[in-house]
Amino acid sequence: MQTRKKYIFLTLLASWLLLFFFGGDQLRRLTFFSGRKAEAQRNWPRWTDRSLLKSFADPEELQSDGDPSLPSPRARRAAWLNVYKNSRCRMETCFDFSRCEKHGFKVFTYPRERDQPLSESYGKILASIERSRYYTPNPEEACLFILSIDTLDRDHLSSQYVRNVDEKIRSFPLWNGGRNHLIFNLYSGTWPNYSEDLGFDIGQAILAKASFYTESFRPGFDISIPLFSKDHPQRGGERGWLYQDAIHPKKKYLLVFKGKRYLTGIGSGTRNALHHIHNGKDIISLTTCKHGKDWEKHKDTRCDKDNVDYEKFDYQELLHNSTFCIVPRGRRLGSFRFLEALQAACIPVLLSDGWELPFAEAIDWGKAAVVGNERLLLQIPSAVRCIHPERVLAFQQQTQFLWDAYFSSVDKIVHTTLEIIKDRLLPHRSRSRFLWNTLPGGLLALPEFSTHPRDFPFYYLQHGSSPSEKFTAFIRAVSPASSLSQPILRLIQAVSGSQYCAQILVLWSCEKPPPPSGKWPQTTVPLTVIQGRRKLSDRFFPYAAIQTDAVLSLDEHTSLSTSEVDFAFVVWRSFPERIVGFPTQSHFWDAEQRRWGYTSKWTNELSIVLTAAAFYHRYYHSLFTEYLPAGLRELVGGLATCEDILMNVLVAAVTKLPPIKVTQRKQHKETVPQQVGCKDGDAGTPPAGERSRSPPRSPPAEVKGTAGAAGSRRFSQQQDCLNQLVDWFGYMPLVSSQLRLDPVLFKDQVSVLRKKYPRLEKP
């Protein structure tokens, strides 16, 4: 028993000795580190033989995080709270919804004071609002208020910096602590930190700001907007460089950057490191130190060589010939090259940590941009090489859609901002992200009409559905006679005979009352008479009686057969987003007059289908009435046939596609309605005070059948209408086409029994 105890004691002693000699060092380290609570949490390897491993960086440098010139998140937050006292604002707490209940979403801009400085960019923003459908000159009707004080540039070193903003806004009786106000800002802070400081307290106002930090951004309340230059177009804007549905060839460069390199200060870290990924072949990264007043004082050993290489490449050429474009942060988070890359279909590779991307509340940037990390710059080349070519093409096409829908003009940037706020007021009637991120975009998909994609004419194919199988015939009658004329009787009989007709609506647009119900012909479908307001735009009002997707718009003098109506409707169901009809006209550029021309001569091209005999989706009634501003709709009432042109321009602006012409048995003759018994302007001829001031031109051959003076005046007004619409849209939306669709075997020398629409060929 004593021997066993001795062996056990010796074994334990030997174990303690082994643990002391071989594990003591680890135990001492464990005890040492447990007491070091002030040490950094991240520890880099400690090499036992440093002579065998070259040191490329100081361990203290590796322990530090980020650019030392950058303020810490806590410092940025403290600066933000020091200026913006209502940092916890939400729509529910800092916005008065009751102001928007009676008159809807109306926006009031403060009157501009005399001698008040106003930058070109802020002038464009105010003009965009004042010419929009949101604007009201009455502050009592307003839901949202916009200051007339220029708040875009809040860098106090800038010449456009407006001083004493706090004192000025507090003197406004409508300010109310900023409640229901929207403030626009592009530049905040100044050298050296470029903080979020605006130099005045915004109170409870919504902030629409460029270069927004996510830490300062108030989700669901503020709005991040893109940084745009003073040369950004007011409206319209240039098209993107990649055409819709185009399969672009492989570009010369994979990844490019050409821009300034900051030698010191905030934003210098990322741009100083960009030269590491340059290979001179498919990755081009060029920087220059040659900017600013004292760049030579701070230049380093790379500057001279960088400046020489920088001049070897053209920036526009790089944009055109590259698949990806690096968009690093500058002094602030945003930069002009973000919009430049979008327009060029050069997929943006964003290196701007903490940037709240523009309109991210609505736009899915994961489909159009690559969001990188500034600290992982060296991984960017391998990451973009791994993206499949099909996905690259999808990215490029999405950049073009986003550019055209939301960023190509100041109008679109401002309207997108307002529509996002409007969606917040009625969340149950707001647009889905699908509508915001799919053609034609959220600005053209009105939630007042529907919030379901299947109700719009653009998404049938994507959802595997089709429009309804019936149509509503909508006839505009302006005849002043007490009894119905023969043409409208024949038209009603022909349309009601169609197997696809659901109902007939007659819009009575004359001062005299319509004939009694007994005078109207008996039809197999319901016939309803609607009393109009005797305005030309009445034909495009969204009447509740129209329940079918398709609308057949007709004039009372139109001559069509049942076969023509049936065939045109079948064609329209295959192209529900377009106008499909019979009489066509076209536009052209008149180089001598330096303006757009308009003709109804029969040529090989067409760009307008007159709504005197045309199918289109009923959604365009809502778009015409609710999307277009009142001033533009008033233009329709002042110029003859302008409602036809405006509807075609609107549909072309939405779809970027031409209308479709179908075969017609007889050539359509344009007529000038008589004015007997109707007020001036009721049937197409404007009152004397509203006629165009342009000198009348000789009417073309197609108006010989009309009265000479009336035909000349009508032609001149059509020209004026087209050019005024182009000026309002900022570009020519109409798209020309040489397509006409005929039935199979149309006019072929085969048996009539084999043709589905034999009556189309009868004279």
Side-chain angles (χ1 to χ4, degrees), residues 153-418:
D153 194 342
R154 301 307 298 161
D155 184 342
H156 69 259
L157 298 179
S158 171
S159 60
Q160 296 181 341
Y161 180 81
V162 179
R163 304 186 183 279
N164 303 321
V165 174
D166 251 331
E167 298 177 8
K168 294 178 180 179
I169 60 178
R170 288 174 184 171
S171 65
F172 295 150
L174 298 173
W175 175 243
N176 192 24
R179 206 170 182 85
N180 288 55
H181 280 68
L182 174 63
I183 294 176
F184 288 92
N185 174 255
L186 295 181
Y187 308 98
S188 63
T190 188
W191 173 269
N193 291 329
Y194 294 92
S195 66
E196 301 280 276
D197 187 4
L198 298 184
F200 67 97
D201 184 8
I202 65 172
Q204 298 180 351
I206 299 172
L207 184 58
K209 183 180 180 301
S211 304
F212 231 135
Y213 274 98
T214 54
E215 297 168 353
S216 306
F217 182 76
R218 296 171 290 184
F221 192 73
D222 292 329
I223 297 177
S224 178
I225 63 175
L227 182 66
F228 60 89
S229 69
K230 65 177 182 179
D231 299 323
H232 206 58
Q234 172 77 63
R235 49 186 177 272
E238 297 181 3
R239 289 192 57 181
W241 296 356
L242 179 68
Y243 287 93
Q244 181 181 352
D245 299 328
I247 301 178
H248 208 272
K250 186 177 180 180
K251 295 188 177 182
K252 181 178 181 180
Y253 303 112
L254 173 70
L255 185 66
V256 300
F257 172 79
K258 183 181 180 182
K260 299 176 182 178
R261 176 163 70 90
Y262 304 118
L263 299 173
T264 59
I266 189 170
S268 60
T270 301
R271 297 204 175 199
N272 276 332
L274 288 174
H275 74 281
H276 289 295
I277 64 175
H278 175 79
N279 62 16
K281 298 177 182 178
D282 63 341
I283 299 179
I284 305 297
S285 181
L286 306 170
T287 58
T288 179
C289 311
K290 197 175 181 179
H291 60 89
K293 297 179 179 179
D294 54 351
W295 68 272
E296 291 184 345
K297 183 189 304 183
H298 301 284
K299 76 174 186 177
D300 54 20
T301 56
R302 284 173 37 210
C303 279
D304 292 334
K305 182 179 183 305
D306 286 353
N307 293 340
V308 173
D309 294 340
Y310 186 85
E311 301 297 333
K312 294 180 180 179
F313 291 85
D314 180 72
Y315 179 63
Q316 295 295 323
E317 183 182 351
L318 289 176
L319 285 179
H320 273 283
N321 293 284
S322 180
T323 304
F324 296 90
C325 286
I326 299 177
V327 183
R329 64 161 298 152
R331 293 301 192 190
R332 299 175 178 87
L333 294 179
S335 67
F336 295 141
R337 71 182 63 248
F338 177 66
L339 292 186
E340 294 169 351
L342 282 182
Q343 182 184 8
C346 189
I347 303 170
V349 179
L350 307 178
L351 295 175
S352 186
D353 295 353
W355 183 22
E356 178 71 19
L357 296 181
F359 305 137
E361 181 176 339
I363 296 176
D364 184 1
W365 285 108
K367 296 180 179 179
V370 177
V371 181
N373 190 306
E374 294 182 48
R375 301 182 185 180
L376 303 179
L377 170 64
L378 299 182
Q379 298 182 12
I380 294 298
S382 59
V384 297
R385 290 185 195 278
C386 295
I387 301 178
H388 195 274
E390 292 183 359
R391 193 179 178 198
V392 168
L393 179 59
F395 269 75
Q396 290 173 328
Q397 291 178 333
Q398 191 69 1
T399 62
Q400 300 303 273
F401 157 65
L402 294 177
W403 163 259
D404 182 72
Y406 307 118
F407 300 109
S408 62
S409 67
V410 176
D411 275 4
K412 292 177 180 177
I413 293 174
V414 173
H415 293 176
T416 302
T417 303
L418 296 179

Side-chain angles (χ1 to χ4, degrees), residues 611-623:
T611 55
F615 280 99
Y616 52 80
H617 199 280
R618 69 186 178 98
Y619 172 63
Y620 292 126
H621 278 204
S622 296
L623 203 62

Side-chain angles (χ1 to χ4, degrees), residues 587-617:
H587 74 286
F588 61 92
W589 176 251
D590 190 337
E592 294 182 359
Q593 300 290 331
R594 298 194 60 79
R595 67 199 303 255
W596 291 99
Y598 174 90
T599 180
S600 57
K601 291 182 178 180
W602 280 46
T603 63
N604 290 330
E605 288 194 350
L606 63 98
S607 56
I608 296 173
V609 168
L610 298 181
T611 55
F615 280 99
Y616 52 80
H617 199 280

